[in-house]
Amino acid sequence: NAGVTQTPKFQVLKTGQSMTLQCAQDMNHEYMSWYRQDPGMGLRLIHYSVGAGITDQGEVPNGYNVSRSTTEDFPLRLLSAAPSQTSVYFCASSRQALYGYTFGSGTRLTVV
Amino acid sequence: EDQVTQSPEALRLQEGESSSLNCSYTVSGLRGLFWYRQDPGKGPEFLFTLYSAGEEKEKERLKATLTKKESFLHITAPKPEDSATYLCAVPTKGGSNYKLTFGKGTLLTVNP
């Protein structure tokens, strides 16, 4: 039982490059979300999804896109990376929004 | 505006020295309060969910309690392995769905 799997674990991008952070869960959870964690700022919600085909914006959605074509996968796309997007990104899943979340191990992204 | 505030930001204890962490919230219609533990370089790990004032949950040396305004995470006779960042979170309404809003966390260090 893998839980929530995030890839890659580390990534360095140049300003303006695009990339996709992958997130997959094998628990048949309907609810998935993406957070970024920065020193002094805590965990901030980027985008979330309540089921396949349904996504919504969180607190800091600008510069990020998501889609949810399957229950298992919820990729996060950076369209044109900026240094302000340097952060640690966490994906989380849950049976529903009011249940405990399972987090992935994170992706540490540096934009230079 | 829905807010979650944790205090103190950092706490240093000697092994065996009991203490409490605080999580205060301003949310209309509380739908639960979650506690997580986060070790350096890892994703948050779910500890407890509390749903109503007066409720208590225990796990080893940790006990979480909930009132109408705040939650406490009591740590009894802590050990160095309890050192971590402790996060609390509450569901907040975003459009038609709930999303999880986190406090900034309390960094706990337990010295041997």
Side-chain angles (χ1 to χ4, degrees):
Chain A
N1 188 355
V4 178
T5 302
Q6 289 185 238
T7 56
K9 292 190 182 302
F10 301 94
Q11 182 72 46
V12 179
L13 286 180
K14 293 183 178 179
T15 297
Q17 285 185 317
S18 63
M19 80 160 293
T20 299
L21 306 186
Q22 301 292 344
C23 175
Q25 52 91 8
D26 61 358
M27 297 171 284
N28 201 31
H29 285 171
E30 290 295 324
Y31 195 93
M32 296 185 75
S33 54
W34 276 102
Y35 287 86
R36 60 177 289 173
Q37 188 172 39
D38 303 290
M41 301 295 292
L43 282 162
R44 292 183 292 169
L45 182 65
I46 305 171
H47 286 285
Y48 64 105
S49 169
V50 299
I54 306 169
T55 63
D56 204 349
Q57 294 182 352
E59 182 183 356
V60 287
N62 292 341
Y64 307 95
N65 272 1
V66 292
S67 60
R68 183 98 177 267
S69 57
T70 67
T71 298
E72 295 77 21
D73 300 299
F74 190 42
L76 178 71
R77 281 180 284 277
L78 280 70
L79 308 173
S80 177
S84 60
Q85 293 178 304
T86 293
S87 187
V88 181
Y89 292 84
F90 289 102
C91 178
S93 74
S94 175
R95 280 192 289 163
Q96 54 173 278
L98 303 183
Y99 280 60
Y101 288 19
T102 300
F103 280 81
S105 57
T107 294
R108 184 174 293 274
L109 176 68
T110 302
V111 182
V112 298
Chain B
E1 181 183 346
D2 297 329
Q3 282 194 336
V4 182
T5 304
Q6 291 189 247
S7 62
E9 291 184 9
L11 180 63
R12 190 177 295 270
L13 300 174
Q14 289 298 122
E15 185 172 1
E17 179 186 2
S18 302
S19 188
S20 297
L21 314 182
N22 178 264
C23 173
S24 63
Y25 58 89
T26 53
V27 178
S28 50
L30 184 68
R31 298 282 181 166
L33 186 141
F34 300 83
W35 281 99
Y36 288 83
R37 169 191 171 126
Q38 186 175 23
D39 293 303
K42 296 188 177 181
E45 177 186 350
F46 172 72
L47 291 173
F48 306 110
T49 307
L50 302 166
Y51 286 107
S52 56
E55 188 175 358
E56 298 182 352
K57 293 268 179 80
E58 286 189 65
K59 181 179 181 179
E60 296 180 358
R61 295 175 292 281
L62 301 177
K63 182 169 80 172
T65 61
L66 182 64
T67 72
K68 290 185 178 180
K69 295 182 181 179
E70 57 194 347
S71 176
F72 292 94
L73 186 64
H74 306 279
I75 304 175
T76 302
K79 297 182 177 181
E81 53 261 43
D82 294 323
S83 297
T85 296
Y86 290 86
L87 302 166
C88 73
V90 296
T92 57
K93 205 70 180 296
S96 58
N97 298 301
Y98 282 96
K99 55 185 179 176
L100 205 58
T101 297
F102 282 83
K104 294 183 180 180
T106 294
L107 174 61
L108 174 67
T109 304
V110 182
N111 295 317

